[in-house]
Every structure is written in structure tokens, then in C-alpha cells.
Amino acid sequence: MRNMELPISKEIYNAGQELASASDSSLTGILNGVLNRYLGWPFRAATGFAVDAEGQKTGIFGSLVFATSSQNAHPEPIEVAADAVACVIDISESIDLGHLREAYQRIAQAKTLKKTPAPETEDTPVSSITLGIVFALHSTVPLEKLAEELDRLNRETPSSQWPDMLVVLSTGTINYVVQFPGEHVSADFLPPGEGALTSYTPPMYVILFVRATGAYTFNKMFAYLTAHLAFFSPGWRLTNWAKLLEGSPKEGIVVCGYQYNLSGELLPVPRQFYNDRYLPPPPLRIEDGKGTLLSTLQFLPWQDGGVILLRGKLPLEGLLVFLGKKALERGGIIRRPDAPDAQISYVLPITQADFMEMVKRLQRQSNLVVRKDSTKWVLQKFADEGSTSPFMARLFMGIVRFRDAVFPHGAKRDEFDKAYDFFIMTLMNARTTAQEIGQLLVEHARKVSQGEIAKTQGQAIQIDQSIDRQLRRDVETFLNSAVRALKQGMQDVTKIVHVNIGFFFQKPDSFANGVAALEKTDPHLAAYLREARKWSERLLDIRNAVEHKGWTLPRIRYSQDSGGIRSEEPQISGQPVSTFVEFTLDRLCCFGEEVTSHCLQSCLSAGISITEIPPSQRKPEIPERFQFTLATGGMPVWTITYHQSKFEET
């Protein structure tokens, strides 16, 4: 019986704690007991198997949720007609990748049973689909690994047979959510009714999503189940259904995305259409005869067709008639409450060429004017590197991904971007100069050793081409850029997230006091700064000596031996200049990536953190070092730690 004095969300939360303390032998009975306590007529939960009209049977599931007119208990395992089964739940105390594969196949087989199609209704959608849930108390592998295995299995299996939710009670859930073009992730995705997609294809992404729901995991599972039951038996409603998730974490991690094709099958979104590498065709302007903007119209490629996105006043339905039969076959419009000025067509059997032909007809057969957007875009080459470069993948794309999660929009985002842009651009200047210094020294040494610019006259060595002035100028440029990136750039970046590292650049006593104070709130960063101080202090001292004490780089020395004339690099702080520059740049890259990532990590939503991807597992096309993970039950959470390894080897 329900405790009417408690909110429904708290009751379900308590039921989740009851389940969490169950043993393997009692887990199934407790779960079915909890479900029967709260679901009520016409649903019951029991251990059993389903059988369809053709005699096909499922294996025995720990829990079948089914509709019945009888309230009497029957000996288990119970046999249930497939038409009555609303959900199958595969139950285990612990799950690993092997158990997941087995549960996946059991649920896939259950979803193939023949069922009588749901009745067609005008007002209320009805579903006869069998929901599939994999339920475990614990997992021996991180949730992200389970999600990756789900995606691998999905690519081998028709989407109508996919499990709908994976629940690890101690950690969180994996299920599918909906995202419409141009929007953020929105509601949970429930499998559509049998035959629902024969006449239209929804223009949405179906995202595999991992949530760190923790102690509220059963709330999430129960809410998802009851949402499905409301469509399976439309006359059934759970009291206060909307309040089941009060207090439950909503944040999660996107694993991958799928799209419906015109046959109603979910397929992976093609990699070239991911937002880190895809620029959609620009929208067209639709104006009246006076040049007033009425709407914009944009074509979005889809699996085996296209979607048309309209923003503005005009009705998209009226424009789609200019597509002719192709629009009439599968036409339809979706309006999104979060984007009231946007209208999105269903997925249509059209190409970019079909879209442009529609635009031409619109111009010929109406008084509307269609123009290309006159906004001038500047596509400027930023660097001679792409996403395959660890420098670009980690210090640009990786940091930007974390920034998007912490500062999705608004003034704080702009503030962070301004500070980080200064750091990264100044770092790139230092990097370019470091490369020029290395090339200058190598080329000069080659010319000297081969006698192109060096010869002996008696006891004297004659050098016909000196690089001392250029080398001094380049070294000073490098020192200035490196110090600006470190001192101004990183100090401004950390301030955005309320971490003040100003003491890091001060005299020894002030540094000691500052790092001791930081240690009380952030011991890992304090330990990192203590080690980083050893190289940063040397960099600052040398740059200050150049600026305030008139220090200059010594000249290159030349000597003669049996092999001919050779050049000897000048030294900075006991190191050859090329070694000093390479080492300092490497430390600066590590510092920028690690301190920025650590600061952004501390600002992520509760339950979400970051993990380090082993070098051997990084994608060649974008070798990012970090990715999101669950703070509990996910991959090992990264902790900032000073290291001696080089940037590209870390």
C-alpha cells in the first residue's frame, strides 16, 4: 500500500533504497513487489515468459509487466500472452559486457513476438510495443563502456529490437533521448507504436544518453516505465506522475546519435554530419517585394533524404507544395515550443537539388523573393594543422567541448572565450617562434658543417653568414610570448572560474603563502603548481633579465676538429637554446591544457566529471586527451598531477 503522507517521488526513492539492499536471491521478488505496490490495475509484474499467437516464446524474464483483469497471484514463472506484455525486465545483481550481450539478445528476441496492432485512435496515441529494460544492482564496468557496447550491438540489430533502457541501480541509467535540429537534448525517447512511421519520418536525432542518477536511479526507471504504460493502456494514469523525478539529476553524457531513415529504421548519424566537422548549407532569405525579411529557409541533409527548416512568419506547409508530389507523399510539420519561430518538415525523399528546384518554383509562381543571405562570412585559414594534430585536438577542440558544458551561453561564456583566446593565440605565437628558432639553428649548423658559409684561414675560422642578431630577436620574442601566455593568459582564464593563481608569479614568500592557502581547498592544484613553479620561475627570471637587466643571448661559438667546422648553440640557464625553448614550450602546453581542464572540471554539474583517454585509445582523426564521464560509476575520474612526460606523449 502507498504511504499517502509521502510525496510520490520520495516513496519511489525509498523503494530504490529497498532494492539497493537486496541480495541476488531476493532481488527479483523485491522488484516485482515494488512494481505491484505502485502500478496498480490493470498492470501486474511477475516472473514469467511471453508467448504469441504463433507459439513463439521468450525465455524467462525476472519481471514481465503485463495487463490483466485478474488480481489473483499465479505460480511463477507465469505464461503471459504477448499482446498483454507491456515490458520485459532482464534482472541481475551485477552486469558486465558479457551479461549485457546476453540480456540484449533476450530482449531482442522478446521484441520479435507477433502482437496484435494497437487500435487506431484520433485523440490518444496507443502503443502495443514491448518495452525492454536491462536491470542490475551493480556493474563491473563503467556505464560508458556499457553504452559503447550497446551502440556496437545496435549497429548489428534492427532498431525495433533494441533494449530501451539499461539500469545500474547504484550508478545511473542509459536510455535514448530526443534532440531536434538546432536545439539541445530534450525529452526521453519512447519507442513508437507498430507502424507509426510508415507514413512519416520524424526529423529528430535519437541520442544514446548516460545519466548519473545515483540514488535516484529507480525514480528514473519507474518514470520511464510509467510513461510507456500510459500509451500501452491509455485509460491508466499514475497519480502525480510528473512528480516522480523531483530531486533527480538530469545531467548526462551524450554517447552517440541515430536518425530515422525513410523506412522507419534508426541508423547511426553519419560521422561527417557530427557538429565537430559539419557546416550545413546556409539558410536562404524569403522576402516580400519591398525587401522585408519574412522567413529563412534551410535544407538539412538526412539519412536518405532531407529536412527543411524554416524560421520566421511564413507557414512552411504553404511552401512545401512547391516540392510537388515528393512533399505530399510524406509531408508534415513539427513546431517546437522551445523555438516558437521554427518549423521543421518531416524527413522528405529529397536532395539538395530538389530543394533548390522548389526554391525556383517558389520564385516563379509567387510574389515572394528568395535571396542568398548577404551576410559576408570570412573563412580564414587558422593554421596548417587540423583535428588530427594533438595540439589542435586537445588545446582547441577538447577545451571548447568542456567550455560548452560549463558555459553554454551568456556573458560568462564570452568572458571565458576572451581570456582563453588570448592565451591560445599567444601560445601559438610562442610555438611558431620556437619552430623558427629550431629551424634556424639546424639550417645554420648544416651550412657551417658543409662549408657553405664557413672556412678556415690559417688558425682563424671565417663565418660568412651570422644568425646571432636574428636568433637573439627570436629568443626575446619567444620569451615575451611565453610569459604573456602564462602570466596574463592563464591568470585571466583561471579567474573566470574563481581560481586566483596570482601568487604563482610572485616572490618566494608570497608564493609559499598563496599555495599553502590553496592547498586547503584544492590540494591537487596546489601540488601541481609547486612543481610547475620550478620551470616557470626560471622562465620569468630570464625574461625579466632581458627586460630589466639588459641580458642578451650569447653568440654562437664555432670550433674546428678533424671533421671540419661545427657550431655550438648558445645556452640559456645551462641548456642549449633549442633545448630550453622546446622544453619551455612543452611545459607551457601541458600547463595550459591541464590547469584549464582542471578548473572547468570543478565547474561541471554534479555527477559529471572528466576522464583521461589512454593514448592508444584516442581517435586518430581527433586525438583528444579527455572526455566526459560519470563522477561515480563511470571511467576513472582524472586528477591533475604534474608529470615530466612531453605534451604529445601524455
Side-chain angles (χ1 to χ4, degrees), residues 109-184:
Q109 191 268 334
K111 284 175 170 271
T112 63
L113 264 59
K114 303 297 183 183
K115 303 182 79 170
T116 303
E120 294 185 8
T121 59
E122 294 185 3
D123 301 325
T124 305
V126 181
S127 173
S128 61
I129 295 295
T130 301
L131 201 70
I133 297 177
V134 180
F135 181 94
L137 289 183
H138 311 287
S139 174
T140 61
V141 295
L143 248 64
E144 295 99 310
K145 292 298 182 184
L146 294 174
E148 290 171 5
E149 182 63 12
L150 273 175
D151 177 52
R152 189 190 70 79
L153 294 167
N154 287 348
R155 292 168 185 262
E156 303 171 352
T157 310
S159 58
S160 60
Q161 299 173 25
W162 296 356
D164 301 290
M165 175 176 272
L166 190 154
V167 176
V168 177
L169 192 66
S170 60
T171 307
T173 60
I174 304 171
N175 67 292
Y176 303 93
V177 296
V178 172
Q179 182 180 14
F180 284 91
E183 299 182 21
H184 296 293

Side-chain angles (χ1 to χ4, degrees), residues 254-268:
V254 171
V255 178
C256 58
Y258 306 89
Q259 296 170 317
Y260 278 109
N261 65 10
L262 293 172
S263 300
E265 182 74 13
L266 276 174
L267 298 175

Side-chain angles (χ1 to χ4, degrees), residues 257-398:
Y258 306 89
Q259 296 170 317
Y260 278 109
N261 65 10
L262 293 172
S263 300
E265 182 74 13
L266 276 174
L267 298 175
V269 175
R271 187 68 183 92
Q272 67 268 25
F273 290 156
Y274 273 57
N275 59 13
D276 61 359
R277 57 185 54 210
Y278 176 64
L279 188 64
L284 300 174
R285 292 171 58 92
I286 303 180
E287 303 172 353
D288 62 16
K290 298 179 180 179
T292 303
L293 176 65
L294 302 177
S295 295
T296 62
L297 204 61
Q298 187 176 22
F299 175 81
L300 303 177
W302 214 255
Q303 286 286 345
D304 48 1
V307 170
I308 298 177
L309 172 63
L310 180 143
R311 297 184 186 276
K313 303 175 182 178
L314 295 175
L316 181 54
E317 297 98 323
L319 302 184
L320 290 182
V321 298
F322 293 97
L323 274 173
K325 292 182 179 180
K326 291 187 176 183
L328 297 176
E329 289 173 1
R330 304 180 69 88
I333 304 297
I334 290 179
R335 291 178 172 83
R336 299 286 300 146
D338 294 339
D341 70 328
Q343 302 166 55
I344 312 171
S345 75
Y346 292 161
V347 181
L348 302 169
I350 61 172
T351 64
Q352 174 80 28
D354 294 322
F355 172 75
M356 294 309 299
E357 183 61 33
M358 170 192 127
V359 170
K360 292 177 183 177
R361 289 181 188 144
L362 174 63
Q363 291 224 90
R364 288 197 305 265
Q365 300 175 25
S366 74
N367 59 358
L368 298 174
V369 178
V370 183
R371 302 182 190 276
K372 292 182 178 180
D373 193 333
S374 60
T375 302
K376 300 296 183 182
W377 293 90
V378 178
L379 297 179
Q380 182 175 351
K381 185 177 181 180
F382 182 73
D384 291 325
E385 297 171 278
S387 64
T388 58
S389 158
F391 183 88
M392 302 299 289
R394 290 161 56 176
L395 284 165
F396 275 90
M397 303 178 75

